[in-house]
Amino acid sequence: MGESQSRHLLGIAGLERPAIQALLDRAAAMQRRPPEKLLAGRRVLVLFYEPSTRTRTSFEVAARRLGAETVSVTASASSIEKGESLLDTVYTLRAMAVDAIIMRHGESGAPFLVARHVDVPVINAGDGMHEHPTQALLDAFTILRHKGRIAGLNVAIVGDILHSRVARSNLWLLSRFGARVRLCGPPSLLPAEFAALGAGIECHHQLEPALDGADVVMVLRIQMERMREAFFPSEAEYVHYYSVTAERLRLARPDAIVMHPGPMIRGVEIGAEVADSPQSVIREQVENGVLIRMAVLEQLLAPAEAAEKSA
Amino acid sequence: MNLILQGGRLFDPASGRDETGDLVIQEDKIRDLGPGIAAAGPGVLDCRGLIVCPGFIDLHVHLREPGQEYKETIESGTRAAAAGGFTAVCAMPNTHPVNDGAGATAYLIQRAKEIGAARVYPVGAITQGSRGEALAAIGAMRRAGAVALSDDGRPVMNGQILRRAMEYAARFGLPIVEHAEDLNLSAGGVMHEGAAALRLGLRGISAESEAAMVARDILLAERCGARLHIAHLSTAASVRLVAAAKARGVPVTAEVTPHHLTLTDEDIRDYDANFKMNPPLRAAADREAVIAALADGTIDAVATDHAPHAQHEKAQEFSRAPFGVIGLETALPLVLRLVAAGRLTLRRALDALTARPAQVFNLPGGRLEPGAVADVTVFAPQETWVCDPARGFSKSRNTPFAGQTLAGRVRHTIVAGRVVYSAG
Ligand SMILES: [Zn+2]
């Protein structure tokens, strides 16, 4: 979809497998040898309409390591006027001679709107319930570090699938690379139509069969406001049926890794002993996030120079 | 003053007339029609190769005046109507303020007469301010010229209020037009609930949120003996309910929009809010069902739900942009697309734009016969053109069909014997 997806990173759904592979390969190369400052003299706008210390910081660090200057604007700051339209804000900020816009927004599709109206690359850092492409890329990178492959793996994604942009980006990437994706959550948060979104996707409403023999267990945050919307009765009920505890994790393969995009709440969606176990790669996900985001920035802002260096 | 439409294909869906001939208009009435009845001379429009049919009647438009003249006015809206072949439009009352009284109703009719582009038949509000609480001045609006009642834009959520309105309106023979949507079931939704909404991460409006309300309304209409008209029917489930009600003899009618006949939820691309309307574009199976229902008469009429919005309002995040698309100037070619695809006969297609809507709201027009009002549309069924909303008559440009090549073009629109539009 989209006129110019290749100029932007709006979502995994619009990316072909070779483009994804190239980003994963470049991140791996950067891990072996720190990249040069190919983006020196460039300015990147980090525009966040939702609070997220983790993702915003990760992008800022990635941009600076490549030599770029970052301008961070958050919704709470006075620079975004109350009631001003997204496009008016973007036009104003674009005038500050930025070379790319990294944006996080609470509404699905907001980066698509911006991408249609500006002449610089737009990187989606999470839009509503839609996509979080760099999260899926860093998750794939992390899985590859541990498993060496994605094809044929059983990956369980547990939690509030309906409202999760992380789940969507991951299911597209993983299914495109041949994994079996087992989505798991209460039926109210996991409509059956999810199975139609890609090849090899299963919907599970019970946790045990979803974990059985899994190679990767991805745990998603559960927001308690979903109770007020009657998606499930209480935190206690959720924990009882869907919390990934040490005991339940024993259903997965002994070498299974456990992932979480954060922020996580120990004792709710994930047992504390699981989060801190040797199987947990949650801290490593954070480190890999910077590598992936460097690869993305380099690919969109300095593709020619990057190709030269890696040749 | 006489006007002669010469040598066209005279097509009257109600009578089944389909023959090449002339149509003679005297003053504001059709005097005669048939093969070889008129000679050439002054006041003659050459209609060879064109279809001459009754003027189209749209049961559902939003003219936005008073209150939102930056989106549309009675003038721009009725000129768009004329350009689309519509000689009469029914104006929904959700203006600012809401049309819930005789004054606003009379003003609409008066203003449309001054402009002289298309007839405007006001639809009055069911409840005061369309707030769903107290009944609006139904009798006074009827006396001022209202042809139906609706709180369109929203449903009457309180079933007891709707029941009272039905009972009261039955005394005047006024149809109750329901925007069928259970607001609890649809809360927060911005597009049809299904795989496409899951993929886009947009909140869904379930098919059941419409059908549940259609079911309730049919039960109430059956009890009250009221005329119920379902606005912009969009789901297979609603079709089944209306078909069953009609089979029982319940006085229910329904309309469908050109966009629900031609697009589905899978057509929404890149979060373009010009594809956002309420009810939303539905699943392919729903589209199939409404086409079949239009063909077999379960759905009576095609109505545009012409809903203009300014560009800055649509150039927003999909979930924040307002619902609605314009439709007056693209309705004919979209309906003809179904005829070309073999899904609809030309007779049924034109019936759904003329005679049937006239019957549904008990309006004049909709027929080509001696003595009938001279509201006539002349169009070139095969002529293609590219939809460019910047060149339209509507003040707004919010159409999902921009850039598409459409077949079927209005050449002349005649209201009360006067040519109000001719293609340039
Ligand atoms: Zn409506």
Side-chain angles (χ1 to χ4, degrees):
Chain A
M1 56 203 276
E3 352 99 44
S4 49
Q5 277 256 358
S6 57
R7 205 157 60 85
H8 311 284
L9 177 64
L10 300 178
I12 297 294
L15 278 189
E16 300 296 337
R17 192 172 156 162
I20 297 171
Q21 189 64 57
L23 289 169
L24 296 172
D25 291 346
R26 185 66 189 122
M30 284 174 164
Q31 192 170 41
R32 290 191 299 272
R33 197 164 67 111
E36 295 180 44
K37 296 195 182 296
L38 292 178
L39 301 189
R42 308 286 202 102
R43 185 183 291 167
V44 174
L45 173 64
V46 184
L47 176 60
F48 268 54
Y49 279 83
E50 281 185 341
S52 162
T53 312
R54 179 186 310 243
T55 305
R56 184 170 53 80
T57 311
S58 178
F59 268 113
E60 287 168 354
V61 169
R64 286 186 200 135
R65 274 199 201 157
L66 291 170
E69 177 192 347
T70 61
V71 180
S72 284
V73 177
T74 55
S76 50
S78 58
S79 46
I80 296 177
E81 300 296 334
K82 269 209 167 55
E84 186 180 54
S85 82
L86 172 59
L87 282 184
D88 283 339
T89 300
V90 167
Y91 289 146
T92 304
L93 296 171
R94 169 71 188 89
M96 304 192 312
V98 297
D99 298 292
I101 299 173
I102 296 164
M103 69 177 287
R104 157 74 56 98
H105 198 284
E107 302 294 347
S108 300
F112 286 74
L113 176 70
V114 172
R116 273 205 300 277
H117 289 89
V118 299
D119 54 357
V120 296
V122 174
I123 297 169
N124 182 2
D127 64 324
M129 300 156 33
H130 177 229
E131 282 232 41
H132 192 351
T134 56
Q135 179 71 44
L137 289 166
L138 77 88
D139 288 343
F141 184 82
T142 307
I143 293 171
L144 285 170
R145 303 305 295 168
H146 288 270
K147 301 291 173 195
R149 67 189 167 104
I150 292 174
L153 293 181
N154 286 306
V155 182
I157 306 179
V158 183
D160 179 359
I161 309 294
L162 177 61
H163 299 95
S164 175
R165 53 193 172 216
V166 174
R168 281 174 178 76
S169 288
N170 263 300
L171 74 85
W172 280 310
L173 191 154
L174 295 168
S175 117
R176 200 156 296 170
F177 277 75
R180 281 188 294 276
V181 182
R182 301 159 168 187
L183 304 174
C184 179
S188 49
L189 294 171
L190 179 51
E193 290 95 336
F194 263 106
L197 295 195
I201 296 171
E202 300 169 8
C203 292
H204 290 269
H205 298 137
Q206 296 188 33
L207 184 53
E208 289 75 10
L211 293 182
D212 188 28
D215 299 285
V216 178
V217 179
M218 223 176 252
V219 187
L220 302 176
R221 179 164 69 129
I222 187 84
Q223 286 172 300
M224 287 307 141
E225 69 192 62
R226 304 295 172 219
M227 284 187 299
R228 289 192 291 281
E229 298 170 88
F231 284 102
F232 59 92
S234 68
E235 183 180 302
E237 286 245 337
Y238 187 84
V239 169
H240 183 78
Y241 291 107
Y242 295 103
S243 183
V244 177
T245 59
E247 190 192 341
R248 284 176 175 147
L249 189 59
R250 280 196 279 277
L251 292 166
R253 286 176 55 95
D255 61 349
I257 56 170
V258 177
M259 309 174 76
H260 194 303
M264 83 182 145
I265 304 179
R266 288 181 172 80
V268 181
E269 72 270 17
I270 188 166
E273 69 286 9
V274 172
D276 301 322
S277 77
Q279 284 173 277
S280 164
V281 297
I282 295 168
R283 274 190 213 113
E284 194 189 320
Q285 285 174 275
V286 178
E287 292 158 28
N288 293 341
V290 175
L291 290 170
I292 279 293
R293 286 164 184 134
M294 283 197 294
V296 167
L297 284 165
E298 186 190 81
Q299 199 267 317
L300 291 177
L301 285 171
E305 298 92 313
E308 210 171 281
K309 297 289 173 199
S310 60
Chain B
M1 186 48 216
N2 282 12
L3 182 66
I4 296 166
L5 308 184
Q6 196 173 56
R9 180 177 171 190
L10 303 174
F11 202 112
D12 182 45
S15 66
R17 179 197 291 271
D18 180 8
E19 62 186 0
T20 299
D22 312 320
L23 184 143
V24 179
I25 293 167
Q26 187 169 33
E27 302 297 331
D28 59 347
K29 296 277 196 312
I30 295 173
R31 195 181 73 193
D32 201 4
L33 72 164
I37 59 165
V44 170
L45 280 180
D46 182 0
C47 294
R48 283 174 297 174
L50 306 177
I51 289 179
V52 176
C53 68
F56 304 154
I57 297 169
D58 193 340
L59 297 178
H60 196 140
V61 305
H62 298 274
L63 293 177
R64 305 299 189 209
E65 182 181 347
Q68 293 179 317
E69 288 84 353
Y70 67 97
K71 299 181 195 237
E72 198 78 288
T73 61
I74 298 169
E75 173 152 20
S76 64
T78 53
R79 294 212 186 283
F86 290 92
T87 54
V89 296
C90 299
M92 283 296 164
N94 63 336
T95 45
H96 298 274
V98 167
N99 175 12
D100 57 4
T105 301
Y107 171 76
L108 266 172
I109 296 171
Q110 180 54 37
R111 182 78 190 107
K113 276 201 181 118
E114 287 164 17
I115 296 157
R119 300 175 197 267
V120 172
Y121 296 115
V123 176
I126 297 171
T127 63
Q128 291 173 28
S130 286
R131 284 185 297 273
E133 293 157 6
L135 293 189
I138 292 172
M141 288 190 291
R142 162 87 262 195
R143 291 197 302 280
V147 297
L149 301 169
S150 182
D151 278 355
D152 186 57
R154 65 183 87 169
V156 180
M157 275 296 282
N158 182 328
Q160 187 71 336
I161 298 289
L162 186 73
R163 177 190 162 175
R164 296 293 180 231
M166 283 179 168
E167 288 170 341
Y168 190 74
R171 182 211 172 286
F172 303 94
L174 282 176
I176 297 274
V177 183
E178 176 79 310
H179 168 115
E181 177 184 3
D182 182 317
L183 296 176
N184 293 316
L185 285 173
S186 66
V190 297
M191 70 174 285
H192 176 63
E193 183 177 321
L198 286 185
R199 193 178 319 117
L200 293 169
L202 292 171
R203 287 172 200 269
I205 298 172
S206 66
E208 292 73 27
S209 68
E210 175 180 287
M213 213 58 159
V214 170
R216 183 201 74 172
D217 293 352
I218 285 171
L219 292 172
L220 293 175
E222 192 166 12
R223 180 187 179 90
C224 304
R227 282 272 300 103
L228 170 67
H229 179 71
I230 306 297
H232 40 56
L233 186 149
S234 68
T235 69
S238 301
V239 167
R240 287 195 293 275
L241 290 163
V242 168
K246 284 188 165 185
R248 290 203 301 280
V250 183
V252 57
T253 54
E255 68 188 32
V256 62
T257 70
H259 47 271
H260 288 109
L261 289 168
T262 49
L263 300 172
T264 71
D265 58 347
E266 297 288 345
D267 291 309
I268 299 172
R269 286 279 169 266
D270 285 354
Y271 298 88
D272 181 350
N274 288 322
F275 288 79
K276 178 180 177 183
M277 69 291 285
N278 191 13
L281 297 174
R282 298 291 188 182
D286 293 306
R287 175 177 171 248
E288 287 301 309
V290 295
I291 292 172
L294 179 63
D296 71 20
T298 302
I299 293 176
D300 299 86
V302 170
T304 64
D305 193 8
H306 178 82
H309 292 292
Q311 277 174 297
H312 72 268
E313 295 171 313
K314 281 295 195 179
Q316 292 193 78
E317 299 90 319
F318 192 91
S319 45
R320 286 190 184 150
F323 290 103
V325 295
I326 57 173
L328 285 166
E329 294 171 78
T330 48
L332 172 67
L334 294 173
V335 173
L336 291 178
R337 191 181 280 181
L338 298 177
V339 176
R343 304 300 308 272
L344 212 55
T345 63
L346 180 62
R347 181 175 179 185
R348 177 65 194 120
L350 293 179
D351 181 47
L353 284 165
T354 61
R356 271 309 285 155
Q359 285 167 0
V360 166
F361 281 5
N362 194 26
L363 306 173
R367 283 164 184 270
L368 292 187
E369 60 192 12
V373 292
D375 290 2
V376 182
T377 294
V378 180
F379 66 93
Q382 316 285 354
E383 186 178 336
T384 59
W385 54 289
V386 176
C387 175
D388 175 6
R391 300 182 60 186
F393 284 79
S394 171
K395 272 196 165 185
S396 293
R397 301 177 180 187
N398 51 311
T399 170
F401 300 102
Q404 285 198 21
T405 298
L406 304 173
R409 187 162 200 207
V410 174
R411 298 290 286 276
H412 306 288
T413 305
I414 296 155
V415 174
R418 239 169 34 82
V419 179
V420 294
Y421 170 80
S422 280

